[in-house]
Amino acid sequence: MIKKQWRSLASSSNYKNNRFENLSPTAVTAEGVSFGRLLREYFRKPANVTPSYPLPSIKTDLRALYSDTPVITWFGHSSYLIHCKGTNILVDPVFSSSLAPVPGLIKAYPVTHAYTADDMPDIDLMIITHDHYDHLDRKTITQLKNKAKAWYTPLGVGGNIAGCGVDGNLITEMDWWETEQPLPGITLTATPARHFSGRGLRRGVSLWASFVLEIYGHRIFVGGDSGYDTHFKTIGEKYGPFDMAVLECGQYNPHWPHIHMMPEETAQAALDLRAKMLLPVHWGKFTLAYHPWNESIKRVLASPAAQQVQIATPMIGEPASINPAQQYSRWWLTE
């Protein structure tokens, strides 16, 4: 097998001073907020940052799933399967019971029907949006390496995926605004996000991205992680309207206002993207912030911008259609 030759990071216009940069100046934390303060507050979190009961979920046979229009099955946090006409696209799968690098420190919530790598169908296309532990889980990738036919990820992330035993020749790295055609009828464009990368002390050595997925005449925005900024409007003007925007809605805090959105900003970002529907993710599985575990979904539904966009709120494992007529229960209020 010929060893994969990864693209030069320095060839990217987004790579400056030996690291990738956001379009706008972006500090990871707010001015005056120290790491020590964040650590103290993390270990003093109130009890309601995690649910007190197993979350209700639906066990869907994903191998038997078929729809002529896109359906998205969410597995909690930022992991979800996009299915359309027999094609399966898996985004940021994390099926481990806790997040690395410290096993057991950040545990997954208990659910009535937990999904594992064994539940996944064969994957035509795998998308990894960036290298943070809650989006790139090496254990899960190792378990899925023989199920995925192709992998797409931002610049600098491919080596981490290949390190899990994935054939590097199946991995395509992309810079912002680059477009690939993985399959007939499907195009994938890497677009900007306002975030950062790093699996240790070094930041910015790989790129982070959102993606525009055009699949059999439909358009889905794969948001990854991002703080609010003007890039949403730019993407909406260039590629919108979208049938569905999958956007982060959780793990926010005024201490890090630029790298994650407040729920009200999530709804506004959907409007900026010209999305007909919004699927809020990045909640419902791990506690990475200090807010109540179900606060984000309550706030996004109550936001002024939410009155102008349909919001899908499926249970874990419940296929969500791009059809705005689909109804959902308020399962996160169950005690």
Side-chain angles (χ1 to χ4, degrees), residues 89-317:
I89 300 171
L90 187 58
V91 178
D92 289 351
V94 177
F95 298 125
S96 296
S97 59
S98 65
L99 293 179
V102 183
L105 179 62
I106 302 175
K107 297 181 181 179
Y109 304 158
V111 295
T112 54
H113 298 289
Y115 283 81
T116 69
D118 290 338
D119 295 314
M120 296 300 109
D122 289 339
I123 304 301
D124 298 283
L125 171 60
M126 186 82 78
I127 298 173
I128 306 294
T129 62
H130 63 294
D131 69 1
H132 283 159
Y133 294 100
D134 58 323
H135 293 258
L136 191 163
D137 180 56
R138 292 175 62 88
K139 180 179 178 180
T140 300
I141 287 177
T142 300
Q143 293 169 338
L144 290 170
K145 65 181 182 181
N146 295 323
K147 284 191 173 185
K149 301 172 185 176
W151 303 69
Y152 286 78
T153 196
L155 288 173
V157 182
N160 221 319
I161 297 171
C164 300
V166 176
D167 182 352
N169 295 298
L170 301 179
I171 303 169
T172 300
E173 293 187 325
M174 301 177 68
D175 201 355
W176 293 342
W177 307 119
E178 291 182 346
T179 298
E180 298 282 347
Q181 186 172 19
L183 293 167
I186 298 177
T187 61
L188 187 68
T189 302
T191 45
R194 190 182 192 187
H195 200 52
F196 69 107
S197 64
R199 292 176 71 85
L201 297 178
R202 295 186 64 197
R203 293 174 178 164
V205 295
S206 62
L207 188 61
W208 48 95
S210 57
F211 291 88
V212 173
L213 172 65
E214 298 180 73
I215 179 167
Y216 306 135
H218 304 280
R219 193 171 291 127
I220 296 171
F221 183 72
V222 176
D225 277 1
S226 180
Y228 184 74
D229 205 356
T230 58
H231 66 280
F232 289 116
K233 187 173 183 180
T234 300
I235 295 167
E237 291 171 347
K238 188 174 179 65
Y239 295 103
F242 290 91
D243 296 288
M244 179 83 83
V246 187
L247 293 170
E248 65 148 71
C249 183
Q251 320 318 317
Y252 48 83
N253 192 285
H255 291 342
W256 50 85
H258 305 304
I259 59 170
H260 287 300
M261 290 186 282
M262 297 295 176
E264 295 78 14
E265 292 176 319
T266 299
Q268 183 59 52
L271 293 184
D272 292 352
L273 288 163
R274 301 168 59 208
K276 300 173 185 176
M277 296 186 68
L278 164 65
L279 174 58
V281 298
H282 209 239
W283 69 289
K285 187 167 185 175
F286 298 109
T287 292
L288 302 174
Y290 317 142
H291 57 75
W293 75 271
N294 57 0
E295 179 187 88
S296 59
I297 194 65
K298 295 177 182 178
R299 284 179 58 175
V300 75
L301 286 168
S303 67
Q307 310 312 311
Q308 303 176 60
V309 61
Q310 187 82 16
I311 300 181
T313 58
M315 289 187 199
I316 290 171

